[in-house]
Amino acid sequence: MNSANTPLLETERLILRKFTENDLEALFNIYSNEEVNTYLPWFPLTSLEEAASLFKEKYREVYKRPYGYHYAICPKNSNLPAGYIHAGTDDSHDLGYGLLQEFWHRGFATEAARAVVARLKKDGMPYITATHDIRNPRSGGVMKQLGMRYQYSYEELWQPKNIPVTFRLYQLNLDGQEDRVYQEYWNRSSVRFKETGI
């Protein structure tokens, strides 16, 4: 992997950049929004103080590492964060994203994800995975538009909400090894299966 931490990316409509301390209000708007966070494991934020703690733990500390991909999704006309997109640097290489409702159904998540995936491939990441709650198929639609392929479904007790959730795992191999499947979630789940017609 090349050594770069959240290098600036630009698309036709978006700037993908690091979050900064100047973005705390935007972070609060994103992470406090109940609609945005319905299918995510954490509870919505309730204060700017919580947003400051989240920024410190989830972004500022991550930006100190040799490389990483933790982006604010910013429309060019404002440069204010409307959402986020992350790619993990652990073995899962998990791709995750969230976007405020006023930016839904406009292709922004897919546009941002395509730019990040292109950068990951350039930097030598071998593959990416992504999961979505089966009750949130629109998220799976973004994965399909990226060329990701459904691999399997599994149940997990999601924390801190402490609720059982069934996820679908998608994967895109960036290095040409088409038969590789990330098995960690399958191996650790007692409820796992493959659906047809996905």
Side-chain angles (χ1 to χ4, degrees):
M1 295 284 294
N2 289 344
S3 290
N5 195 313
T6 315
L8 185 72
L9 302 176
E10 185 173 342
T11 71
E12 181 181 352
R13 298 179 294 171
L14 303 171
I15 297 291
L16 305 180
R17 61 167 177 82
K18 293 178 179 177
F19 281 101
T20 73
E21 290 187 355
N22 295 327
D23 297 321
L24 291 185
E25 188 171 335
L27 269 172
F28 176 73
N29 289 338
I30 296 165
Y31 282 93
S32 66
N33 188 291
E34 290 193 10
E35 286 291 321
V36 173
N37 293 283
T38 297
Y39 300 107
L40 297 173
W42 45 77
F43 293 104
L45 299 182
T46 60
S47 68
L48 280 173
E49 288 76 18
E50 289 183 356
S53 295
L54 180 141
F55 168 73
K56 179 181 178 181
E57 296 168 14
K58 196 175 183 73
Y59 293 101
R60 190 171 69 192
E61 291 303 312
V62 170
Y63 293 150
K64 294 177 182 179
R65 300 173 185 171
Y67 67 96
Y69 306 90
H70 277 61
Y71 286 99
I73 301 175
C74 305
K76 283 184 175 178
N77 61 2
S78 70
N79 199 33
L80 292 174
Y84 59 83
I85 184 165
H86 307 149
T89 54
D90 60 2
D91 286 345
S92 71
H93 302 304
D94 178 68
L95 186 71
Y97 38 83
L99 202 61
L100 290 170
Q101 299 105 303
E102 57 261 43
F103 298 96
W104 290 1
H105 314 306
R106 295 164 64 180
F108 281 1
T110 302
E111 186 173 327
R114 282 182 174 145
V116 172
V117 170
R119 179 67 197 208
L120 298 175
K121 186 173 183 178
K122 178 182 178 182
D123 287 353
M125 188 172 284
Y127 60 90
I128 56 170
T129 69
T131 60
H132 75 86
D133 187 322
I134 61 170
R135 299 169 301 167
N136 185 24
R138 286 190 179 276
S139 185
V142 173
M143 298 169 196
K144 291 178 181 178
Q145 289 185 62
L146 295 175
M148 303 185 77
R149 290 164 43 186
Y150 168 76
Q151 302 295 339
Y152 57 82
S153 302
Y154 65 99
E155 187 177 290
E156 180 178 306
L157 192 64
W158 228 6
Q159 300 297 342
K161 289 182 177 176
N162 200 38
I163 55 174
V165 177
T166 300
F167 294 97
R168 292 181 181 134
L169 173 87
Y170 284 76
Q171 184 164 333
L172 178 63
N173 293 313
L174 303 174
D175 61 359
Q177 295 189 35
E178 292 300 323
D179 294 334
R180 181 201 292 111
V181 176
Y182 181 70
Q183 296 287 352
E184 177 64 24
Y185 306 135
W186 177 275
N187 292 339
R188 75 184 188 201
S189 177
S190 59
V191 180
R192 70 256 179 114
F193 52 94
K194 295 189 178 183
E195 301 176 70
T196 58
I198 302 300

